[in-house]
Amino acid sequence: MPGRDAFVDLVLGGRCAGCDRPGVTLCDGCRGLLTGLTPFRAWPDPRPPGLAPPTAAAPYADELRSLILAHKEHARYALARPLGQLLATAVRTALGDRRTCHLCPVPSPRATVRQRGHDPLRRITKAAVRSLRRQGIDASLADALRVVRRPDDQAGLSAERRTVNLDGAFGLRSRWAETLTDQPVLLVDDVITTGSTLTEACRALESRGIPVLGCAVLAATRRYSPSGS
């Protein structure tokens, strides 16, 4: 909650979560950085079969990396709004001329959500939906996926091992099956690395007859093809 961030800033003196300068949770410089980014097509290299076209707002590095981690791991809740606005820019690029979309966040295991004390991606997605609606886009949050098998920690795994690790990890919540049929659905996540998580999420939706228009993420690691091809 934003009040928590204000309390931390008051008691600890406050530092920007992006650049660590003394001050508020997000300084003017880092806020300006978020609004000046240009989304791009972020195909991982190698490109996993079955992955819908991914669009990233920026590379996963520097201040943006720090902001994502501060929100996710350190509960800097006030960052959800600016990160949601950034995700909305990636969504707009992924949509092209479309003015309607359902945003489906990649789910986290319940134990992970409990450990963090919040669901970072869902919080950011809700902020993105609000931002898109203010821009005249008929966006909605679709909590259509759930974790049906908790995979092992992905850190340090190769692309091939990640794919095997995530096989069958997600399932469709049955109440969304009819709602999302023939609708423009975008999968959203915070970071794309090998693309294995988003690919498995695509499979979970498309196996139930729900085509995925594309994927939108805050950031892409350096493991993407520079040509975007």
Side-chain angles (χ1 to χ4, degrees):
M1 299 166 193
R4 173 192 171 103
D5 294 306
F7 177 77
V8 171
D9 289 343
L10 177 64
V11 174
L12 301 183
R15 286 186 175 275
C16 174
C19 63
D20 203 36
R21 291 174 182 159
V24 294
T25 294
L26 185 63
C27 71
D28 289 342
C30 288
R31 190 180 297 276
L33 172 69
L34 293 183
T35 59
L37 296 170
T38 301
F40 58 92
R41 185 55 51 81
W43 287 113
D45 189 9
R47 182 188 302 192
L51 176 63
T55 301
Y60 184 57
D62 305 324
E63 289 89 347
L64 179 56
R65 179 180 182 276
S66 297
L67 292 171
I68 292 172
L69 291 175
H71 177 260
K72 178 191 286 187
E73 305 296 349
H74 303 296
R76 302 291 290 271
Y77 297 125
L79 295 172
R81 182 175 181 180
L83 290 176
Q85 292 170 341
L86 180 61
L87 180 61
T89 66
V91 170
R92 289 200 312 270
T93 299
L95 284 175
D97 295 331
R98 295 176 183 265
R99 306 296 292 178
T100 302
C101 65
H102 294 275
L103 301 187
C104 179
V106 173
S108 296
R110 290 183 181 179
T112 301
V113 173
R114 286 195 300 269
Q115 181 181 4
R116 287 176 174 152
H118 72 133
D119 188 334
L121 180 59
R122 190 175 190 276
R123 187 184 294 271
I124 291 171
T125 304
K126 289 174 68 176
V129 166
R130 290 192 293 268
S131 177
L132 290 164
R133 287 176 177 173
R134 287 193 295 269
Q135 298 170 59
I137 295 175
D138 184 14
S140 61
L141 172 67
D143 284 318
L145 292 176
R146 60 189 181 93
V147 176
V148 296
R149 181 188 65 77
R150 183 172 182 175
D152 296 330
D153 188 353
Q154 294 275 84
L157 297 182
S158 66
E160 294 78 9
R161 292 285 301 280
R162 285 180 179 229
T163 298
V164 172
N165 184 43
L166 286 162
D167 185 37
F170 305 131
L172 179 71
R173 298 182 190 274
S174 57
R175 66 186 179 87
W176 284 98
E178 184 174 348
T179 301
L180 296 181
T181 300
D182 298 324
Q183 295 296 309
V185 177
L186 282 176
L187 278 165
V188 295
D189 205 350
D190 53 0
V191 179
I192 182 171
T193 302
T194 65
S196 55
T197 300
L198 285 165
T199 299
E200 175 58 24
C202 287
R203 184 211 60 77
L205 290 173
E206 293 181 343
S207 67
R208 297 293 298 274
I210 300 170
V212 179
L213 177 65
C215 306
V217 300
L218 290 171
T221 67
R222 300 295 184 182
R223 294 186 57 171
Y224 57 81
S225 173
S227 66
S229 61

